[in-house]
Amino acid sequence: MTEPRVRPMLDVHRIYAEPAALELPRGAEVVARWPDAEVVPVESHWNIPEVHGDERNVSRWVRIKTEALVLGVKKSLVTRPNGRSADFIAPSTANGCAMACAYCYVPRRKGYSNPVTVFANIEQITKHIARNVQKRGQKTEPNQCDPDAWVYDIGENSDCSVDAMISDNVRDLCDLFRMTPTAKASFATKYVNRDLLDWDPMGRTRIRFSLMPHETAKVTDIRTSPIAERIAAVNDFVDAGYEVHLNFSPVILTPTWESDWAELLRQVDDVLSPRAKAQLASEVIFLTHNEPLHQVNLGWHPKAEDLLWRPDLQEQKVSQNGAVNVRYRSGMKGQLVERFRELVAEHLPSCRIRYAF
């Protein structure tokens, strides 16, 4: 019996590149990783008609993510306050993702396809972050982000574990924080990249493995590492010097959501080592969806929308960034959050919940 063909995460055929990015060492390094790829000059990494904004691309969603890569220069370097997962959001060193989670919010901005854009001006970005950290000084009051260190999210618009397969940007950032006693880097991931185990982060990088019940993930987490593989990786990353937290995210209401999550939490409890449990914490984030993304998904993965688009349970809400999204109804949402806290307390009592919403 012939085994099904598995599409590689990255098989880059075309690199759309801003000329300024090609002139930088990091840009040249990225191009050298795929010497057979066609390099297509573009004026702006935000405006590539054959990649962004063309609804005909919805049928080629995964192919574009696999075969296309964009090289750009990050123009605006701003560190933003956060206060939930991290104290601050650092300037992105990449945007987009080779994975294709059906609920991902990033395609809402770029349209019908969202391959990885790598920013080549990494030296500017690291210098900006270093200055910001120095300006903060020592953290004097504990908060939900961390009791001692300022936490900088370095992967708001991408998955750093996959980004590390494309360039050394993520390693450069982790090396920066490795030598920074007052701050630490943080990023969420759905991909197990074991090359990161050799980086020796000395506790200054927090990896947040995103988890959800296996059967739900099979429908919504496209091209990601299997849930069991993510769970199994936690002990290894802790032993390698990372702080490892969990993202229970997104929590999607299915007819069996409570029993599914209970089973998952028990599995985590069974697998994690005492050392991993001693440093464990988590975030809980219930699903936020968006009607334009719903329409996009209907064009390439309608099965996921059976789980994600539930007008009978959802209501519109304006997010902090001004976007109009749909979330589970407010009256019900508080009860759901409280029930989830109870499940964690019962089945994974070692796990502290840093925040839940």
Side-chain angles (χ1 to χ4, degrees):
M1 181 176 178
T2 304
E3 293 186 3
R5 179 175 177 269
V6 178
R7 183 182 289 275
M9 181 67 71
L10 292 164
D11 183 18
V12 178
H13 292 182
R14 293 173 309 286
I15 300 175
Y16 299 91
E18 295 178 349
L22 291 173
E23 294 173 0
L24 293 169
R26 184 53 39 88
E29 291 170 10
V30 171
V31 170
R33 293 196 181 194
W34 288 278
D36 296 328
E38 176 188 8
V39 178
V40 181
V42 295
E43 292 185 7
S44 170
H45 66 86
W46 273 109
N47 185 19
I48 306 173
E50 61 190 275
V51 174
H52 303 144
D54 186 347
E55 65 183 25
R56 292 170 295 182
N57 282 334
V58 71
S59 62
R60 302 169 57 238
W61 188 271
V62 171
R63 167 169 278 188
I64 290 174
K65 285 176 169 290
T66 304
E67 297 181 355
L69 191 63
V70 183
L71 267 177
V73 173
K74 182 79 171 176
K75 306 298 193 300
S76 176
L77 301 184
V78 177
T79 294
R80 309 190 330 265
N82 179 251
R84 277 184 170 169
S85 178
D87 293 292
F88 304 102
I89 306 297
S92 300
T93 59
N95 183 292
C97 191
M99 296 181 285
C101 298
Y103 46 78
C104 180
Y105 71 90
V106 177
R108 299 175 196 171
R109 298 183 64 196
K110 281 197 169 181
Y112 286 88
S113 184
N114 192 39
V116 178
T117 295
V118 178
F119 296 122
N121 53 326
I122 183 63
E123 290 189 5
Q124 284 183 303
I125 295 171
T126 53
K127 287 178 180 178
H128 167 91
I129 295 172
R131 287 194 300 268
N132 192 280
V133 172
Q134 185 177 22
K135 182 175 67 176
R136 301 293 164 194
Q138 184 70 46
K139 191 177 198 177
T140 57
E141 295 184 10
N143 62 14
Q144 68 178 22
C145 303
D146 194 86
D148 304 307
W150 297 112
V151 180
Y152 286 72
D153 193 315
I154 62 171
E156 181 188 32
N157 295 314
S158 64
D159 190 302
C160 289
S161 295
V162 176
D163 296 344
M165 301 168 62
I166 301 170
S167 81
D168 289 333
N169 281 359
V170 179
R171 181 158 195 173
D172 287 347
L173 289 177
C174 290
D175 285 348
L176 168 66
F177 283 95
R178 180 176 183 267
M179 306 306 295
T180 307
T182 61
K184 62 179 63 170
S186 177
F187 64 87
T189 185
K190 301 181 183 71
Y191 185 75
V192 178
N193 182 348
R194 290 188 169 270
D195 290 343
L196 276 62
L197 293 172
D198 298 327
W199 289 6
D200 189 20
M202 298 177 62
R204 309 314 298 178
T205 293
R206 173 187 294 168
I207 294 182
R208 295 152 21 233
F209 281 107
S210 295
L211 301 180
M212 67 167 61
H214 301 266
E215 294 304 314
T216 305
K218 287 180 182 179
V219 178
T220 63
D221 279 23
I222 310 303
R223 310 187 81 224
T224 63
S225 295
I227 295 295
E229 184 179 349
R230 301 181 212 173
I231 296 172
V234 172
N235 293 338
D236 293 336
F237 277 81
V238 170
D239 291 342
Y242 290 90
E243 182 180 42
V244 182
H245 288 186
L246 301 176
N247 274 11
F248 299 132
S249 168
V251 180
I252 300 170
L253 295 190
T254 69
T256 57
W257 77 273
E258 288 191 49
S259 59
D260 292 345
W261 275 101
E263 180 182 354
L264 177 69
L265 294 166
R266 287 194 295 268
Q267 180 182 356
V268 175
D269 190 53
D270 290 341
V271 171
L272 264 56
S273 66
R275 183 180 180 187
K277 289 179 180 178
Q279 55 87 68
L280 190 63
S282 67
E283 306 164 11
V284 180
I285 305 171
F286 277 75
L287 173 71
T288 297
H289 203 24
N290 174 281
E291 185 165 6
L293 182 58
H294 166 62
Q295 296 300 328
V296 170
N297 286 347
L298 290 177
W300 78 281
H301 189 31
K303 185 178 180 181
E305 289 307 295
D306 292 340
L307 299 180
L308 302 178
W309 190 252
R310 294 291 306 275
D312 56 319
L313 302 176
Q314 294 165 329
E315 64 182 5
Q316 282 195 349
K317 179 162 182 153
V318 178
S319 297
Q320 291 178 338
N321 62 6
V324 179
N325 298 317
V326 293
R327 298 179 181 177
Y328 296 121
R329 292 177 183 167
S330 57
M332 176 178 64
K333 177 79 172 288
Q335 297 175 359
L336 295 172
V337 170
E338 184 56 33
R339 179 56 186 145
F340 197 95
R341 288 183 179 274
E342 293 171 356
L343 290 172
V344 174
E346 180 178 356
H347 301 290
L348 186 59
S350 61
C351 186
R352 172 175 58 90
I353 296 177
R354 293 200 295 113
Y355 73 93
F357 73 96

